[in-house]
Amino acid sequence: MLRLFPYIIGDKIEDHEDPGWQLYLLLKMLCEYYCAPAFQKTDLSYIQDVLIPTYFQIRPTVLDQTKYSLKPKHHYMVHYAELMLRYGPLLYLWTMSYEQKHKFFKQVMRISKNLINPEYTCAVRHQLQFAHQTLGPLFNDSCQETEPKLLLSENFQGELGDFISQLCLDSEWRESRSVCYNDLEYEVNDVLLLSSHSGTIKGAVLKVIATKDQSVSFVAEIFNCISKEARGLYFLPSQQSKKFAWLPASSLKYPVVQPIYIEEGQRSFSLKHQLLEN
């Protein structure tokens, strides 16, 4: 909800300098830092010395403190930067994976309605589920292709075809419409975020998915995002850059595909987390 809020009511905000909207953008930025898979020590100083003091300075001017008093989470938020310094990215410490595990046992109790010996019931059902899941291969192949065929530069036109021919790939490379690699799914025209520099985010649109011997690489069109800080969104350029790059999937800093939404007739996205500065 926090990430998609600009798409829900962003077009109804007439004054983007309104303190209420600025308070939301501050909270959104804090969550982007807290959910980042990697960070720099300077980010922690920025959180502690700039973002948090500004947030608590603006909050009383927007919300009635008698009705919307501070919650325990506001206290925890102050200490997140210290925890990040001690333990690393908080993304790897949260309890969502344990909540997912706990969900199975709650479903068992809800369905069985057995309150005589619930521990035994949960243990047996869990072992039965584990036995069922391990009937086949315990782990899937790291690379699962969809509709693979030989990767030939003649199948592509213009600058893209020229770039692929310059790669001088051998005949073992294949192209696929989509691929599942390390449990992540990629399709042609998906968008990946690569890096950030001075507030400018560099991204890539996947034009070709190439596979060989359980490894995956992409021929991607590189672009610089257009930032609209007042909206809390980033927009993809309307015209193609015609700048291509060869990106091995194993070398990506941020391998998860970035969801894209149409806003003001353009492709756009809202950050899930902050990116490392190059």
Side-chain angles (χ1 to χ4, degrees), residues 22 25 27 33-34 42 48 63 83 131 145 172 183 193 202 212 226 235 247 257 263:
Q22 291 299 314
L25 292 178
L27 183 60
Y33 277 107
Y34 293 149
T42 54
Q48 289 287 72
L63 301 174
L83 295 176
E145 308 165 70
E172 295 184 6
D183 292 328
L193 302 184
K202 180 182 291 186
K212 174 185 176 182
I226 302 170
F235 287 80
L247 304 175
V257 172
E263 181 72 8

Side-chain angles (χ1 to χ4, degrees), residues 2 26-39 43-44 46-49 51-53 55-56 73-85 88-94 272-274:
L2 190 68
L26 276 171
L27 183 60
K28 181 175 182 292
M29 185 176 293
L30 280 167
C31 290
E32 289 170 0
Y33 277 107
Y34 293 149
C35 294
F39 62 88
D43 296 335
L44 305 182
Y46 183 61
I47 293 171
Q48 289 287 72
D49 301 336
L51 293 182
I52 289 181
Y55 176 82
F56 286 108
K73 286 186 177 181
H74 292 98
H75 173 75
Y76 303 151
M77 182 175 69
V78 176
H79 296 283
Y80 282 162
E82 179 184 352
L83 295 176
M84 291 168 69
L85 184 61
L90 300 181
L91 184 68
Y92 304 120
L93 300 176
W94 67 354
K272 290 184 176 180
H273 56 75
Q274 288 288 329

Side-chain angles (χ1 to χ4, degrees), residues 45-65:
S45 300
Y46 183 61
I47 293 171
Q48 289 287 72
D49 301 336
V50 178
L51 293 182
I52 289 181
T54 306
Y55 176 82
F56 286 108
Q57 181 181 359
I58 296 178
R59 192 178 188 276
T61 65
V62 176
L63 301 174
D64 185 352
Q65 297 301 292

Side-chain angles (χ1 to χ4, degrees), residues 140-253:
N140 294 325
D141 294 336
S142 61
C143 175
Q144 299 176 3
E145 308 165 70
T146 302
E147 300 179 7
K149 59 182 180 180
L150 289 179
L151 176 56
L152 303 173
S153 59
E154 299 84 39
N155 296 335
F156 304 92
Q157 300 178 351
E159 291 88 343
L160 179 59
D162 296 338
F163 178 82
I164 294 176
S165 64
Q166 293 172 6
L167 294 174
C168 299
L169 301 174
D170 59 48
S171 58
E172 295 184 6
W173 281 97
R174 302 178 300 276
E175 63 164 311
S176 300
R177 182 174 56 84
S178 64
V179 67
C180 181
Y181 179 70
N182 289 341
D183 292 328
L184 294 175
E185 295 184 359
Y186 300 94
E187 294 184 2
V188 173
N189 292 324
D190 278 346
V191 173
L192 296 174
L193 302 184
L194 303 179
S195 61
S196 175
H197 180 67
S198 301
T200 300
I201 293 180
K202 180 182 291 186
V205 179
L206 306 185
K207 294 299 183 181
V208 180
I209 300 175
T211 59
K212 174 185 176 182
D213 299 333
Q214 296 294 308
S215 65
V216 177
S217 295
F218 307 110
V219 177
E221 184 179 2
I222 308 301
F223 63 88
N224 289 327
C225 301
I226 302 170
S227 172
K228 291 191 178 181
E229 295 182 358
R231 293 285 306 276
L233 299 175
Y234 292 86
F235 287 80
L236 276 65
S238 56
Q239 296 183 348
Q240 296 180 345
S241 65
K242 303 298 184 181
K243 297 179 181 178
F244 299 101
W246 176 261
L247 304 175
S250 58
S251 67
L252 294 173
K253 288 183 180 179

